Short mmCIF file of all heavy atoms in Angstrom, two decimals:
data_model
loop_
_atom_site.label_atom_id
_atom_site.label_comp_id
_atom_site.label_asym_id
_atom_site.label_seq_id
_atom_site.Cartn_x
_atom_site.Cartn_y
_atom_site.Cartn_z
N GLU A 1 81.07 82.93 70.82
CA GLU A 1 82.41 83.09 71.28
C GLU A 1 83.16 84.10 70.38
O GLU A 1 83.09 83.96 69.15
CB GLU A 1 83.13 81.73 71.28
CG GLU A 1 82.57 80.74 72.29
CD GLU A 1 83.32 79.43 72.26
OE1 GLU A 1 84.27 79.32 71.50
OE2 GLU A 1 82.97 78.53 73.10
N GLN A 2 83.83 85.02 70.99
CA GLN A 2 84.64 85.98 70.22
C GLN A 2 85.99 85.40 69.84
O GLN A 2 86.65 84.76 70.68
CB GLN A 2 84.81 87.26 71.03
CG GLN A 2 83.48 87.99 71.35
CD GLN A 2 83.75 89.23 72.14
OE1 GLN A 2 84.92 89.58 72.44
NE2 GLN A 2 82.70 90.00 72.33
N ALA A 3 86.26 85.62 68.59
CA ALA A 3 87.55 85.03 68.10
C ALA A 3 88.69 85.83 68.67
O ALA A 3 88.60 87.05 68.82
CB ALA A 3 87.55 85.06 66.57
N ALA A 4 89.79 85.22 68.95
CA ALA A 4 90.95 85.90 69.52
C ALA A 4 91.62 86.71 68.40
O ALA A 4 91.54 86.40 67.22
CB ALA A 4 92.00 84.91 70.00
N PRO A 5 92.12 87.97 68.71
CA PRO A 5 92.74 88.81 67.68
C PRO A 5 93.99 88.12 67.11
O PRO A 5 94.71 87.50 67.84
CB PRO A 5 93.11 90.09 68.46
CG PRO A 5 93.25 89.63 69.88
CD PRO A 5 92.24 88.55 70.07
N PRO A 6 94.15 88.22 65.83
CA PRO A 6 95.34 87.57 65.20
C PRO A 6 96.60 88.26 65.61
O PRO A 6 96.69 89.47 65.77
CB PRO A 6 95.02 87.76 63.72
CG PRO A 6 94.17 88.95 63.62
CD PRO A 6 93.31 88.97 64.82
N SER A 7 97.58 87.43 65.88
CA SER A 7 98.90 87.94 66.26
C SER A 7 99.68 88.20 65.01
O SER A 7 100.49 87.42 64.61
CB SER A 7 99.60 86.94 67.22
OG SER A 7 99.67 85.68 66.53
N ALA A 8 99.33 89.38 64.42
CA ALA A 8 99.94 89.69 63.10
C ALA A 8 101.47 89.97 63.24
O ALA A 8 102.27 89.57 62.45
CB ALA A 8 99.32 90.92 62.47
N GLY A 9 101.82 90.57 64.39
CA GLY A 9 103.23 90.97 64.54
C GLY A 9 104.10 89.73 64.68
O GLY A 9 105.11 89.57 64.07
N VAL A 10 103.70 88.78 65.50
CA VAL A 10 104.51 87.60 65.72
C VAL A 10 104.58 86.74 64.48
O VAL A 10 105.56 86.21 64.06
CB VAL A 10 103.99 86.80 66.94
CG1 VAL A 10 104.75 85.52 67.10
CG2 VAL A 10 104.09 87.68 68.18
N ALA A 11 103.33 86.59 63.84
CA ALA A 11 103.29 85.80 62.64
C ALA A 11 104.22 86.38 61.52
O ALA A 11 104.90 85.70 60.79
CB ALA A 11 101.88 85.62 62.14
N GLY A 12 104.19 87.74 61.41
CA GLY A 12 104.95 88.32 60.36
C GLY A 12 106.43 88.13 60.64
O GLY A 12 107.20 87.93 59.72
N MET A 13 106.87 88.21 61.89
CA MET A 13 108.25 88.00 62.20
C MET A 13 108.72 86.59 62.01
O MET A 13 109.82 86.31 61.55
CB MET A 13 108.54 88.47 63.63
CG MET A 13 108.50 90.00 63.80
SD MET A 13 108.94 90.56 65.50
CE MET A 13 107.52 89.91 66.31
N GLU A 14 107.73 85.67 62.32
CA GLU A 14 108.12 84.22 62.06
C GLU A 14 108.19 83.93 60.63
O GLU A 14 109.03 83.12 60.12
CB GLU A 14 107.10 83.32 62.73
CG GLU A 14 107.19 83.33 64.26
CD GLU A 14 106.17 82.45 64.86
OE1 GLU A 14 105.35 81.89 64.12
OE2 GLU A 14 106.20 82.32 66.13
N GLY A 15 107.37 84.67 59.82
CA GLY A 15 107.38 84.43 58.38
C GLY A 15 108.62 84.94 57.68
O GLY A 15 108.93 84.62 56.59
N MET A 16 109.32 85.85 58.41
CA MET A 16 110.55 86.39 57.80
C MET A 16 111.72 85.49 57.86
O MET A 16 112.78 85.76 57.40
CB MET A 16 110.90 87.75 58.53
CG MET A 16 109.90 88.83 58.31
SD MET A 16 110.15 90.29 59.34
CE MET A 16 111.76 90.78 58.72
N GLY A 17 111.53 84.32 58.48
CA GLY A 17 112.61 83.35 58.47
C GLY A 17 113.28 83.22 59.72
O GLY A 17 114.14 82.33 59.89
N GLY A 18 113.02 84.05 60.76
CA GLY A 18 113.72 83.97 61.96
C GLY A 18 112.77 83.57 63.08
O GLY A 18 111.56 83.53 62.89
N SER A 19 113.28 83.35 64.22
CA SER A 19 112.42 82.99 65.38
C SER A 19 111.79 84.30 65.90
O SER A 19 112.29 85.37 65.74
CB SER A 19 113.29 82.31 66.47
OG SER A 19 114.21 83.23 66.95
N ALA A 20 110.64 84.09 66.57
CA ALA A 20 109.92 85.25 67.11
C ALA A 20 110.75 85.96 68.19
O ALA A 20 110.82 87.19 68.24
CB ALA A 20 108.61 84.80 67.68
N GLY A 21 111.37 85.19 69.08
CA GLY A 21 112.16 85.78 70.14
C GLY A 21 113.34 86.59 69.61
O GLY A 21 113.57 87.71 70.07
N GLY A 22 114.07 86.01 68.63
CA GLY A 22 115.18 86.77 68.13
C GLY A 22 114.85 87.96 67.43
O GLY A 22 115.45 89.06 67.56
N VAL A 23 113.80 87.96 66.61
CA VAL A 23 113.38 89.11 65.82
C VAL A 23 112.83 90.20 66.75
O VAL A 23 113.12 91.37 66.61
CB VAL A 23 112.30 88.71 64.75
CG1 VAL A 23 111.81 89.96 64.06
CG2 VAL A 23 112.99 87.76 63.78
N MET A 24 112.08 89.76 67.79
CA MET A 24 111.55 90.73 68.74
C MET A 24 112.71 91.43 69.46
O MET A 24 112.64 92.63 69.65
CB MET A 24 110.61 90.03 69.69
CG MET A 24 109.95 90.97 70.67
SD MET A 24 108.87 92.19 69.95
CE MET A 24 107.56 91.07 69.40
N GLY A 25 113.69 90.65 69.84
CA GLY A 25 114.80 91.24 70.58
C GLY A 25 115.53 92.20 69.65
O GLY A 25 115.95 93.31 70.09
N GLY A 26 115.69 91.88 68.36
CA GLY A 26 116.39 92.74 67.47
C GLY A 26 115.60 94.05 67.23
O GLY A 26 116.18 95.13 67.16
#
């Protein structure tokens, strides 16, 4: 089974302290 690619962009935005949706919109 191939591992799913890591969602680096979403994880990075969540680690910045904000929600993924809000950071993505910004």
